[in-house]
Amino acid sequence: MKPATVQTAVVVSLSLDELCRFCQADRNWIIDLVEHGVLEPEGASVQSWQFHSLSIARAKKARRLNRDLGVNTAGVALVLDLLAEREEMLRRLAVLGDG
């Protein structure tokens, strides 16, 4: 029997169109996320934008909030900021708990 192998693809960055396909979203929605500060692409123009891992993960969470719960873009920005603050506080508590 041949042992199973795990193949994973590591995504380093995505263009705007690739991120749209990944999130099943249209360009205007992604651009709106950038304008609200939810996503921070690299690149000087929309055509050259590249989204890295943190932005890709935030875009996927944002899409779920929008699609599943009907949260608008401003609400998505607020929720993701609050979740990031919560995660940071939990990390700090864990460090204090270890010490």
Side-chain angles (χ1 to χ4, degrees):
M1 175 185 263
K2 186 175 180 179
T5 59
V6 176
Q7 292 183 349
T8 56
V10 176
V11 175
V12 177
S13 65
L14 297 175
S15 68
L16 176 59
D17 289 335
E18 291 168 334
L19 186 61
C20 290
R21 283 193 297 277
F22 182 71
C23 293
Q24 298 175 340
D26 64 40
R27 292 171 62 97
N28 290 334
W29 187 76
I30 297 290
I31 291 169
D32 204 25
L33 290 177
V34 172
E35 290 173 352
H36 278 82
V38 174
L39 306 178
E40 297 177 359
E42 276 188 15
S45 67
V46 172
Q47 291 77 21
S48 65
W49 279 353
Q50 288 292 309
F51 297 88
H52 297 287
S53 59
L54 182 62
S55 284
I56 295 168
R58 286 176 64 89
K60 196 67 171 178
K61 287 179 186 175
R63 186 66 182 138
R64 284 196 305 265
L65 288 167
N66 175 255
R67 183 190 59 223
D68 298 347
L69 301 176
V71 179
N72 66 16
T73 306
V76 166
L78 177 63
V79 169
L80 291 179
D81 285 348
L82 291 174
L83 287 173
E85 286 182 27
R86 178 184 178 271
E87 289 173 14
E88 178 60 27
M89 284 192 267
L90 289 174
R91 268 194 294 273
R92 288 182 182 181
L93 284 173
V95 169
L96 292 173
D98 289 342

